[in-house]
Amino acid sequence: MSRIEAICTSPAKGTPKTIRTRATLRAGHGLEGDAHAGDWHRQVSILPFERIEEFRTRGAEVAFGDFGENLVISGVDFTAMAIGDRLNCGEAALELSQFGKVCHSRCRIYESMGDCIMPRHGVFARVVSGGVIASGDAVALCSGVPVGH
């Protein structure tokens, strides 16, 4: 079963995110209380739980939120998904908007490990419909559903 393993937010960009048990996703905005929320295509950042666990087996001492991710989700094969695919998370729906990202500077994780998984495995989404989400909520895939339908 696919599910939310962690929810993380921070009030300022460039600071570690704090784990929360519940949060509210606002349509067209992102996670309430998170500095990266706003009117753009990367309202919510996601990392697969399995990629974080693999990175930990390589010796990385990282906590959820250390990569700047908002959601840690298990059981989803993001490599099989496409831009525009949707995820239903708790009461909310997300639409995938970007895979990976360019890191313009080396983060603490890269400095200590010589690698960072966010550029390769990070996934970004827009909030299509808002609602409350909680750690442990099921995540359902709704592939190929265009915006507005």
Side-chain angles (χ1 to χ4, degrees), residues 80-129:
M81 298 183 74
I83 300 299
D85 285 353
R86 289 192 181 175
L87 298 172
N88 289 335
C89 303
E91 299 175 352
L94 304 174
E95 180 183 82
L96 302 185
S97 59
Q98 180 178 325
F99 292 98
K101 68 174 231 168
V102 174
C103 287
H104 299 287
S105 62
R106 300 292 188 207
C107 66
R108 172 191 62 82
I109 297 166
Y110 187 92
E111 293 300 327
S112 68
M113 291 294 296
D115 189 19
C116 180
I117 62 173
M118 188 55 129
R120 293 184 311 280
H121 299 292
V123 178
F124 298 90
R126 291 181 187 93
V127 181
V128 177
S129 64

Side-chain angles (χ1 to χ4, degrees), residues 8 10 14-18 36 42 45-49 51-56 58 60-72 101 103 107-110 112-113 115-124:
C8 310
S10 62
T15 61
K17 294 195 183 289
T18 303
H36 289 93
R42 289 177 16 185
S45 60
I46 303 166
L47 266 177
F49 173 79
R51 300 294 82 79
I52 295 172
E53 289 301 299
E54 287 173 7
F55 201 56
R56 287 176 174 162
R58 293 175 28 208
E61 294 181 15
V62 292
F64 295 143
D66 282 356
F67 294 97
E69 76 279 15
N70 294 123
L71 301 178
V72 177
K101 68 174 231 168
C103 287
C107 66
R108 172 191 62 82
I109 297 166
Y110 187 92
S112 68
M113 291 294 296
D115 189 19
C116 180
I117 62 173
M118 188 55 129
R120 293 184 311 280
H121 299 292
V123 178
F124 298 90

